[in-house]
């Protein structure tokens, strides 16, 4: 059976060149990067090369890159790190209501430790309201943490505007760039960003490794104590092979960014056009233009997302109804609720996220299958209007209602 993986926001396939770069660090160059002998030095050199490759991808200095175990740890390190460091200055943090759980739950944990958190609303396309941000800044605000792009609906936030506002008030700005790093250009020499979270497995690197950009001069309290690795900010023997792989993935992302971007947006736009024009009462969630090049997020009236997902899986198509991290709980996505959908609409949503390996043929196969599966599910759905199905069977043109 044909298999199409179209869930690249959940994770990506490790690039074969990344695998090739990792293997020597699993086989021969297995030293501990802290050891003084030649094995240690080899590992250290591999790690430092990766630090440079990652810095180059985001126009930062290698000194500003800190290795972690992934996006979740980078978010925790940044947010708790600033909170604990600056708690004497103030105890107020501003975030948005559409953040990944790695940010939201970190903020909730700080709330239970006496910090005050403001969760900003977003508009119906997922954009954070800047006026609301301005109004909520107080003398006590020490940190603003707003994601660069949303992992579910793909909306890209105006982080420069937010960062500038933060800096005008002497506030530290962190952004979760897990979904944007390697996909869209990030130039930290021009952005008012102090801390930025990265995860390798979202851009064809291995899982369980990530990085935190920390601008020189920004102070954080370490949340991991131990042997003092990563300049005392993240103790624990470094995952050298993973780090080397992330470095290679960053180098590839940098050299392929323009080609990847144009191929992904081409496929994404074709997907959106076909779905909206061929499936009646289908809608695009998220922003029409300020969105990730690989993200298409739909909702379908009269459809239950889990059934849709299982039907697609039967046809070899791997997609997602919301963020992978919450797909095991049958809770409506907090992001979809925040953009104003009701529970039924939220449950009738589907996320398709393209990757480097997808082809134009994949897109046609996914569209053909989706049209067929939605039609079949609606036939048996108590949520769907029966008379329209009868009309469609009678050979009438289907209705096209979309935004
Ligand atoms: N932040 C965002 C926006 C994400 O999409 C994810 C992963 O889904 C994370 C953080 C967590 O990253 P990791 O899986 O590397 O811990």
């Amino acid at each position: 059976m044909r298999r199409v993986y179209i869930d690249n926001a959940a994770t990506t396939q490790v690039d074969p060149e990344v695998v090739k770069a990792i293997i020597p660090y699993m086989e021969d160059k297995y030293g501990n990067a802290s050891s003084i002998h030649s094995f240690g030095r080899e590992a250290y050199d591999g790690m430092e090369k990766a630090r440079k490759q990652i810095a180059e991808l985001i126009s930062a200095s290698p000194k500003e890159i800190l290795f972690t175990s992934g996006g979740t740890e980078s978010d925790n390190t940044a947010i708790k790190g600033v909170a604990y460091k600056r708690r004497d200055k103030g105890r107020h943090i501003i975030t948005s209501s559409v953040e990944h759980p790695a940010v939201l739950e970190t903020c909730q944990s700080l709330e239970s430790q006496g910090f005050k958190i403001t969760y900003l609303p977003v508009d119906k396309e997922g954009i954070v309201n800047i006026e609301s941000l301005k109004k909520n800044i107080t003398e006590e605000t020490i940190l603003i943490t707003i994601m660069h792009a949303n992992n579910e609906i793909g909306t890209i936030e105006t982080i420069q505007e937010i960062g500038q506002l933060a800096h005008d008030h002497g506030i530290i700005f962190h952004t979760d760039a897990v979904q944007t790093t390697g996909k869209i250009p990030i130039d930290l020499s021009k952005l008012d960003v102090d801390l930025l979270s990265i995860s390798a497995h979202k851009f064809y690197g291995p899982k369980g490794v990530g990085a935190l950009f920390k601008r020189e001069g920004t102070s954080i309290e370490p949340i991991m104590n131990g042997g003092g690795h990563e300049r005392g900010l993240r103790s624990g023997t470094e995952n050298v092979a993973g780090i080397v792989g992330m470095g290679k993935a960053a180098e590839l992302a940098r050299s392929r960014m323009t080609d990847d971007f144009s191929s992904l947006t081409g496929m994404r736009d074709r997907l959106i056009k076909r779905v909206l024009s061929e499936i009646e009462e289908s809608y695009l969630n998220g922003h029409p233009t300020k969105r990730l090049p690989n993200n298409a997020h739909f909702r379908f009236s009269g459809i239950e997302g889990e059934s849709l997902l299982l039907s697609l899986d039967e046809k070899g198509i791997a997609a997602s109804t919301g963020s992978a991290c919450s797909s095991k709980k049958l809770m409506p996505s907090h992001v979809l609720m925040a953009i104003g959908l009701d529970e039924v609409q939220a449950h009738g949503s589907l996320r398709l996220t393209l990757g480097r390996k997808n082809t134009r043929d994949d897109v046609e196969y996914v569209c053909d299958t989706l049209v067929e599966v939605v039609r079949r599910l609606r036939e048996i759905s108590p949520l769907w209007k029966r008379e329209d199905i009868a009309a469609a069977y009678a050979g009438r043109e289907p209705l096209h209602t979309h935004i």
Side-chain angles (χ1 to χ4, degrees):
M1 187 179 54
R2 180 172 186 155
R3 294 176 83 210
V4 176
Y5 183 82
I6 191 159
D7 196 18
N8 288 272
T11 197
T12 56
Q13 184 190 33
V14 180
D15 191 285
E17 286 198 47
V18 171
V19 174
K20 225 189 286 172
I22 289 174
I23 287 171
Y25 290 86
M26 292 281 187
E27 289 180 345
D28 305 319
K29 304 182 184 189
Y30 51 80
N32 184 321
S34 300
S35 300
I36 288 182
H37 48 61
S38 66
F39 286 79
R41 289 200 303 275
E42 251 167 17
Y44 178 83
D45 290 348
M47 199 170 82
E48 292 315 300
K49 180 177 170 195
R51 208 185 293 279
K52 195 158 170 277
Q53 287 164 317
I54 292 153
E56 276 168 1
L57 176 64
I58 54 176
S59 300
S61 153
K63 299 197 286 282
E64 297 172 313
I65 305 298
L66 200 72
F67 294 125
T68 66
S69 67
T72 302
E73 190 188 321
S74 296
D75 286 341
N76 272 266
T77 305
I79 298 167
K80 289 180 183 156
V82 171
Y84 298 151
K85 190 80 189 179
R86 303 189 92 197
R87 66 188 343 153
D88 292 338
K89 191 178 176 296
R91 289 180 169 231
H92 179 228
I93 294 170
I94 302 178
T95 188
S96 84
S97 48
V98 294
E99 299 295 313
H100 188 273
V103 168
L104 283 181
E105 303 224 353
T106 301
C107 287
Q108 280 154 17
S109 148
L110 287 170
E111 224 165 359
S112 71
Q113 298 169 53
F115 287 85
K116 184 174 177 297
I117 315 287
T118 300
Y119 300 91
L120 295 175
V122 294
D123 67 16
K124 65 185 196 332
E125 285 159 344
I127 300 278
V128 169
N129 185 320
I130 299 286
E131 285 314 307
S132 169
L133 171 60
K134 278 184 194 159
K135 275 191 216 131
N136 278 287
I137 291 174
T138 71
E139 290 286 301
E140 282 271 307
T141 312
I142 50 168
L143 173 70
I144 295 173
T145 172
I146 307 275
M147 69 202 317
H148 192 187
N150 189 268
N151 48 298
E152 294 191 38
I153 55 173
T155 299
I156 301 174
E157 301 294 343
T158 46
I159 56 164
Q160 173 50 16
E161 208 179 330
I162 298 169
Q164 208 171 340
L165 190 64
H167 288 178
D168 289 348
H169 291 82
I171 299 165
I172 290 183
F173 178 48
H174 164 251
T175 189
D176 175 335
V178 166
Q179 290 291 343
T180 50
T181 307
K183 289 198 198 84
I184 59 173
I186 297 177
D187 182 350
L188 287 167
S189 71
K190 299 206 176 95
L191 289 170
D192 276 289
V193 169
D194 304 298
L195 296 147
L196 176 139
S197 301
I198 296 174
S199 177
H201 72 103
K202 308 289 186 179
F203 60 101
Y204 314 99
K207 293 165 187 56
V209 60
L212 176 66
F213 158 83
K214 184 183 79 62
R215 193 174 291 285
E216 250 202 305
T218 304
S219 291
I220 58 170
E221 188 84 14
I223 57 166
M224 202 87 110
N225 305 110
H229 305 75
E230 297 297 283
R231 298 184 305 288
L233 294 174
R234 199 280 184 182
S235 286
T237 301
E238 296 91 347
N239 170 8
V240 177
I243 289 168
V244 166
M246 176 166 60
K248 186 67 190 177
E251 182 194 298
L252 294 174
R254 188 161 167 249
S255 66
R256 296 180 187 171
M257 177 99 54
T258 312
D259 288 348
D260 280 355
F261 187 88
S262 83
S263 130
L264 290 172
T265 48
M267 289 192 285
R268 177 200 66 187
D269 294 346
R270 169 78 182 156
L271 196 54
I272 293 175
K273 188 160 174 254
R274 272 201 69 187
V275 168
L276 296 187
S277 64
E278 293 178 33
I279 302 179
E280 68 169 304
E281 292 199 29
S282 60
Y283 308 88
L284 183 69
N285 293 325
H287 199 281
T289 54
K290 290 180 191 164
R291 75 184 301 130
L292 287 170
N294 68 332
N295 176 295
H297 200 292
F298 303 103
R299 67 177 196 278
F300 304 100
S301 305
I303 290 288
E304 204 277 303
E306 295 295 307
S307 320
L308 182 56
L309 207 64
L310 293 173
S311 302
L312 290 174
D313 191 34
E314 278 172 10
K315 302 277 183 188
I317 297 170
S320 172
T321 48
S323 97
C325 315
S326 65
S327 70
K328 288 216 173 82
K329 308 177 208 160
L330 262 184
M331 296 281 288
S333 139
H334 69 284
V335 175
L336 300 179
M337 301 302 276
I339 62 171
L341 303 192
D342 62 33
E343 282 202 24
V344 174
Q345 290 172 321
H347 281 308
S349 291
L350 177 76
R351 180 182 74 177
L352 301 174
T353 46
L354 293 146
R356 215 179 257 159
K357 253 192 74 184
N358 289 123
T359 62
R360 291 235 159 205
D361 265 6
D362 288 345
V363 171
E364 302 309 323
Y365 177 68
V366 169
C367 290
D368 293 345
T369 310
L370 201 52
V371 169
E372 167 59 23
V373 165
V374 169
R375 187 188 60 74
R376 191 161 49 76
L377 288 174
R378 279 177 175 168
E379 277 174 22
I380 55 168
S381 166
L383 302 171
W384 186 244
K385 38 191 185 189
R386 318 296 311 172
E387 67 278 14
D388 282 358
I389 295 168
Y393 272 125
R396 290 208 341 229
E397 277 291 298
L399 301 168
H400 296 307
T401 320
H402 49 81
I403 50 171

